[in-house]
Amino acid sequence: MRLLHTSDWHLGQSFHQFDRRAEHQAFLDWLLGVLEAEAVDALLIAGDVFDNSNPSAQAQAQLYRFLAEARRRVPHLGIVMTAGNHDSPGRLEAPAPLLSVFDASVIGHVGRQGDLDAALGRLLVPLKDAAGREAAWCIAMPFLRPDDLPRVEGADDPYAAGVAALYRRAFELAAERCQPGQAIVAIGHCHLAGGQVSEDSERRIVIGGAEALPAGIFDPRIAYVALGHLHRAQKIGGDPTRRYCGSPLPMSFSEVGYRHQVVLVELAGEGVAETREIPVPRSVDLLQVPARPAPVDEALAALAALDLPPLPEERWPYLHVRVQLEGPEPGLRARIEEALAGKPVRLARIETTTLRGALPDAAPALSLDELNALKPEAFFLRLYQQRFGSDAPPELMAAFGELLDTPVAEGAA
């Protein structure tokens, strides 16, 4: 049978304040085509379906329309969707009885620990082939919080030990239900040791002082582990059966060069016959201009020279401008916007770096009492010296003094 592994859709996310509904819809429409063209039997969505725990009505509607259309196009398709650290477990699970009509299993939380086997039993989802026969079992594990885990006495890392114990018992239950020739696959939304983080993109998960879990929490007899949370597509330890598919959309400008993808998994009996990456087309480009930070005039010239094709506004590329400063530039944004006037592009971020020569010896660190004793002018002057390596010009200090003397209108605070 064929599985498709995807994760980290982050429906409802905005990108530097720009709405991304059109981008998400383009991905979902493309995904529908892939499910149909590849004759996929089961879709595994490994968490962070939504960008936050209180998704908008539009984001929820996007998900439910997709699920309905996926079943219409691929009538035998099974869907397994788990909660990530961005999702609300209860909100994701609330429509589960209705979604079961689409053969969609939605797992938001583990359940009560009073009866661990009963709690884990609801996480074991049978996966059927095109003929409707049970061909595999999925351990549909959501993002795990400390309260979800069994207590492991004497463990150096109680969280990691609890996660390992939970997966171990879930695998044992799955093995009891498995018939000969049926594979066991697992979903996990976590940060595994050795996984590469996407800079500026992921919310860190630190529990008990540890950020990453050992890859050994997954039994080697599990045929495939569909991981979510890290936005960079990658194989853990080079193993194609233990992998993150990554997010389908870029989540920050650090992902300009990433190859976003979903993963097609071909099961044969109890194992994996083949895995294949399917690149996700990027419906909205990311631009970094200049390619490296450049002086103001050079950066403005590069922006003015931009020649972009006409596109619908929802497909205008996002722009990250990178400027190297020698001193304060109060009118920088206005100058950048003037250079971009009339161009089909969305100014998302202006990054400024400071070009400094040899700086004087760093000023000694101050105690809290010494900081509290500093007058605002002295604090501002130290901050300027730290950033630009020279004294603030008199006209700037005069403007700062004028700002301090300006009374605040009543109720403006």
Side-chain angles (χ1 to χ4, degrees):
M1 70 178 301
R2 285 186 162 189
L3 314 178
L4 193 72
H5 168 200
T6 179
S7 73
D8 296 275
W9 293 359
H10 290 274
L11 298 178
Q13 187 218 22
S14 59
F15 191 76
H16 295 273
Q17 308 306 313
F18 291 105
D19 187 278
R20 306 193 83 178
R21 271 178 292 176
E23 284 175 89
H24 282 118
Q25 193 59 52
F27 162 68
L28 294 174
D29 291 343
W30 171 85
L31 185 59
L32 287 170
V34 172
L35 293 171
E36 192 172 18
E38 298 289 351
V40 172
D41 300 305
L43 175 65
L44 309 183
I45 308 171
D48 282 355
V49 180
F50 296 114
D51 190 57
N52 59 65
S53 59
N54 188 25
S56 67
Q58 293 94 333
Q60 294 179 73
Q62 269 192 320
L63 172 65
Y64 303 141
R65 280 197 300 265
F66 166 81
L67 296 177
E69 183 63 13
R71 280 285 290 185
R72 189 189 70 80
R73 294 218 199 166
V74 188
H76 72 279
L77 181 71
I79 300 168
V80 184
M81 182 167 56
T82 62
N85 58 298
H86 280 252
D87 298 310
S88 162
R91 185 179 292 275
L92 198 68
E93 273 198 14
L98 291 176
L99 296 181
S100 64
V101 173
F102 303 122
D103 200 15
S105 299
V106 185
I107 308 298
H109 56 85
V110 173
R112 300 294 180 185
Q113 291 295 314
D115 185 348
L116 183 58
D117 284 357
L120 290 177
R122 63 190 291 274
L123 308 185
L124 302 183
V125 179
L127 303 179
K128 299 176 182 179
D129 61 19
R133 298 181 298 256
E134 289 184 359
W137 286 84
C138 178
I139 301 171
M141 196 73 74
F143 171 65
L144 296 170
R145 294 171 172 82
D147 289 347
D148 297 322
L149 304 176
R151 185 171 300 174
V152 179
E153 298 295 338
D156 293 334
D157 184 343
Y159 180 74
V163 172
L166 200 61
Y167 270 106
R168 182 169 57 251
R169 184 57 189 140
F171 174 79
E172 291 168 353
L173 286 176
E176 292 173 9
R177 299 186 184 188
C178 248
Q179 300 298 314
Q182 294 179 345
I184 298 176
V185 300
I187 293 175
H189 191 92
C190 54
H191 183 176
L192 289 189
Q196 293 181 295
V197 174
S198 175
E199 183 184 352
D200 300 329
S201 174
E202 290 136 7
R203 182 183 298 170
R204 292 182 64 202
I205 302 173
V206 182
I207 301 178
E211 183 172 6
L213 295 168
I217 61 177
F218 300 106
D219 192 285
R221 290 169 289 178
I222 296 177
Y224 184 82
V225 179
L227 295 166
H229 177 60
L230 298 186
H231 297 158
R232 180 193 289 264
Q234 56 195 290
K235 304 168 189 175
I236 296 299
D239 186 345
T241 70
R242 306 293 191 264
R243 69 197 298 166
Y244 292 92
C245 62
S247 60
L249 269 60
M251 306 296 286
S252 77
F253 280 102
S254 68
E255 300 176 30
V256 167
Y258 284 12
R259 186 172 181 249
H260 295 269
Q261 60 185 233
V262 297
V263 181
L264 188 68
V265 182
E266 186 87 40
L267 296 179
E270 299 177 11
V272 172
E274 181 187 9
T275 62
R276 174 160 55 93
E277 299 90 3
I278 304 177
V280 178
R282 187 170 288 182
S283 62
V284 175
D285 285 334
L286 302 183
L287 300 179
Q288 289 183 312
V289 181
R292 294 181 180 178
V296 175
D297 289 342
E298 184 179 330
L300 292 174
L303 295 175
L306 276 177
D307 185 15
L308 301 170
L311 291 169
E313 189 170 351
E314 68 270 12
R315 291 198 56 204
W316 288 4
Y318 299 117
L319 176 63
H320 173 196
V321 180
R322 313 173 84 180
V323 182
Q324 192 176 73
L325 300 179
E326 295 181 359
E329 287 281 347
L332 179 61
R333 185 176 186 91
R335 296 179 68 187
I336 289 174
E337 290 175 343
E338 182 181 359
L340 295 173
K343 296 183 184 296
V345 68
R346 288 178 280 189
L347 178 59
R349 182 183 178 192
I350 300 173
E351 175 192 354
T352 58
T353 56
T354 305
L355 179 64
R356 294 186 289 181
L359 295 181
D361 293 338
L366 299 180
S367 68
L368 287 177
D369 288 340
E370 289 171 322
L371 281 173
N372 287 331
L374 279 179
K375 292 183 177 180
E377 295 91 337
F379 191 91
F380 178 79
L381 182 59
R382 288 177 65 91
L383 184 63
Y384 188 97
Q385 290 171 333
Q386 183 182 35
R387 180 162 187 183
F388 297 106
S390 64
D391 288 336
E395 61 271 19
L396 185 63
M397 292 303 299
F400 183 74
E402 184 179 338
L403 179 64
L404 289 177
D405 292 336
T406 302
V408 177
E410 187 176 349

